[in-house]
Amino acid sequence: VILLSILLALYCSRPESHIHGNISDLPDGLVMLNTRNGGMTPIDSTVSVQGVFSLQTPRGPADIYYLQFIGKGGPDYFLPVILDGNDIIITGRFGTYDQINIEGSAANTELKDVNTRINAYRVMAEAVSLELRPYEDSIALVDSARYQALNTKLDSIFNVISEVRGNFIRTNPSSIVAAMFAAGGLTEESSLKEIVSMLHLLSPDIADNAFIRRLKDRREELSKQERNN
């Protein structure tokens, strides 16, 4: 009871952190902070005025969140942000991910660096996907050599993206971003052996975060199933 009271007091006394934005060309409108659990779930919101806004960040272990900008006259825009208890400063020019700067957390710098490399391959994948669309409504065309070649190309692009993430995990085992990529590879079909392998790639000294908790929770769940079988 005493220990619980101490932990609760420490938790409640921890300074609150915020997201502060000052983004040029950002249309005035709603700014929402979302978690992603299947779909986007809003947890807080504010209004941007001349590109300026501020949001309080949720308490808890480091995790990925998505800022959603709902400006007048434009499509919704989602910006991935890792929140780890530090104040986050978002600047730059509204438009593309590459033009936005996220400061205050090393994890966000790492995430942007990796995503900038990956985005080039995503653009290539989108282009190939567009070429594949005419084949979706034609069973006859699905057997064509062109269709097979495009599918092979798309698979190779996705393999490169996986390699970029895998290389980051292996070379940055203490990074929260590495844990995020490892947890991102988790599926309902992932075996206990695969999850244990993912955890072994990460440093035992990695800072507590929601990603590694998900991996460990899934490991315990599958271990329990094996013991009961």
Side-chain angles (χ1 to χ4, degrees):
V1 175
I2 295 174
L3 178 59
L4 180 61
S5 299
I6 293 172
L7 290 174
L8 183 61
L10 289 171
Y11 175 83
C12 294
S13 63
R14 192 182 76 178
E16 295 176 346
S17 56
H18 295 81
I19 301 172
H20 301 289
N22 189 350
I23 305 174
S24 62
D25 295 337
L26 175 65
D28 291 350
L30 190 63
V31 180
M32 301 180 69
L33 183 63
N34 300 278
T35 60
R36 187 172 185 175
N37 186 13
M40 293 292 181
T41 303
I43 58 174
D44 198 5
S45 65
T46 188
V47 174
S48 64
V49 178
Q50 295 182 346
V52 177
F53 62 90
S54 182
L55 287 162
Q56 183 175 317
T57 63
R59 285 173 169 160
D63 204 347
I64 185 81
Y65 294 83
Y66 296 84
L67 279 174
Q68 181 180 7
F69 301 98
I70 309 176
K72 298 175 182 177
D76 289 2
Y77 178 86
F78 291 91
L79 178 67
V81 181
I82 293 176
L83 301 181
D84 56 5
N86 294 304
D87 280 342
I88 301 296
I89 310 296
I90 301 177
T91 58
R93 184 178 298 278
F94 184 71
T96 65
Y97 181 70
D98 293 343
Q99 294 176 301
I100 298 291
N101 302 311
I102 304 175
E103 301 175 345
S105 166
N108 284 292
T109 301
E110 292 175 345
L111 179 60
K112 183 174 181 180
D113 288 345
V114 179
N115 275 341
T116 297
R117 279 180 278 159
I118 289 175
N119 280 347
Y121 296 106
R122 285 181 178 147
V123 171
M124 294 168 60
E126 288 172 4
V128 175
S129 296
L130 284 175
E131 290 187 72
L132 281 167
R133 282 186 183 176
Y135 297 89
E136 294 175 358
D137 300 322
S138 174
I139 297 176
L141 290 176
V142 166
D143 293 326
S144 69
R146 176 63 175 163
Y147 174 81
Q148 300 298 333
L150 287 172
N151 260 320
T152 299
K153 184 176 182 180
L154 190 60
D155 287 343
S156 67
I157 294 171
F158 287 138
N159 286 337
V160 171
I161 292 175
S162 294
E163 288 174 10
V164 171
R165 289 174 175 157
N167 287 336
F168 184 88
I169 294 171
R170 286 186 287 274
T171 55
N172 300 274
S174 297
S175 168
I176 291 174
V177 177
M180 184 189 77
F181 286 152
L186 185 66
T187 69
E188 287 297 321
E189 289 74 34
S190 296
S191 67
L192 177 59
K193 183 178 179 180
E194 288 172 328
I195 293 170
V196 169
S197 295
M198 289 181 195
L199 286 167
H200 281 165
L201 289 173
L202 300 171
S203 169
D205 300 322
I206 192 170
D208 182 35
N209 61 79
F211 313 112
I212 203 159
R213 287 189 183 189
R214 289 176 195 135
L215 287 169
K216 289 180 177 179
D217 286 348
R218 185 59 176 160
R219 179 188 63 187
E220 294 308 311
E221 181 183 346
L222 292 177
S223 295
K224 184 177 180 179
Q225 289 177 9
E226 282 198 358
R227 289 194 298 269
N228 292 335
N229 288 338

